[in-house]
Amino acid sequence: MTSTAPAPTEPEEPRPALHVPVRAVGAAYVLRLFKQRDGSRCAVAFTSATALATLLGPTQRSVRLAEPALRALAAPLGTTTLVIDPQLVAPPVAPSTAVRTSRAPGHAAPRFPALQPQR
């Protein structure tokens, strides 16, 4: 079989693998997606394991992927934005304090659906 594409004149420089946060689901790992300030979903990646641990904590699981592989995983999920080495934009969380509420006996607390991280 012959190819009509010209041979590259210079070899492509290899792209470094990125550290991509994942979460465990059973025996598999799935891509962890995040939200930007405008509410749109994005995939994130880090250029080093240290940068990932600094922002997401030392227990955050990750896999190493090339950028094209990460984009290929995120695209079927409707995510086309990739943020490399994101920075924390939220203010620090204040220590929690116990909130006391008074309820009449026999009245249950209102139920709200639990907020889930973006999957």
Side-chain angles (χ1 to χ4, degrees):
M1 181 182 267
T2 60
S3 172
T4 58
T9 56
E10 294 182 26
E12 276 191 39
E13 198 169 309
R15 296 179 186 176
L18 298 168
H19 298 266
V20 179
V22 295
R23 59 185 178 84
V25 175
Y29 292 112
V30 296
L31 181 63
R32 191 169 165 203
L33 297 178
F34 295 82
K35 285 192 175 184
Q36 299 188 92
R37 290 183 197 184
D38 65 0
S40 62
R41 294 191 310 174
C42 66
V44 299
F46 297 85
T47 54
S48 71
T50 303
L52 183 140
T54 299
L55 189 67
L56 300 176
T59 60
Q60 173 61 55
R61 294 180 182 185
S62 66
V63 296
R64 294 194 63 184
L65 294 173
E67 182 181 335
L70 175 55
R71 289 187 183 280
L73 286 172
L77 303 173
T79 303
T80 58
T81 303
L82 172 60
V83 180
I84 298 177
D85 287 332
Q87 300 296 313
L88 185 63
V89 295
V93 177
S96 64
T97 58
V99 177
R100 295 184 182 183
T101 59
S102 59
R103 292 189 188 94
H107 287 91
R111 295 188 147 236
F112 297 100
L115 296 177
Q116 298 295 320
Q118 187 67 39
R119 296 177 194 226

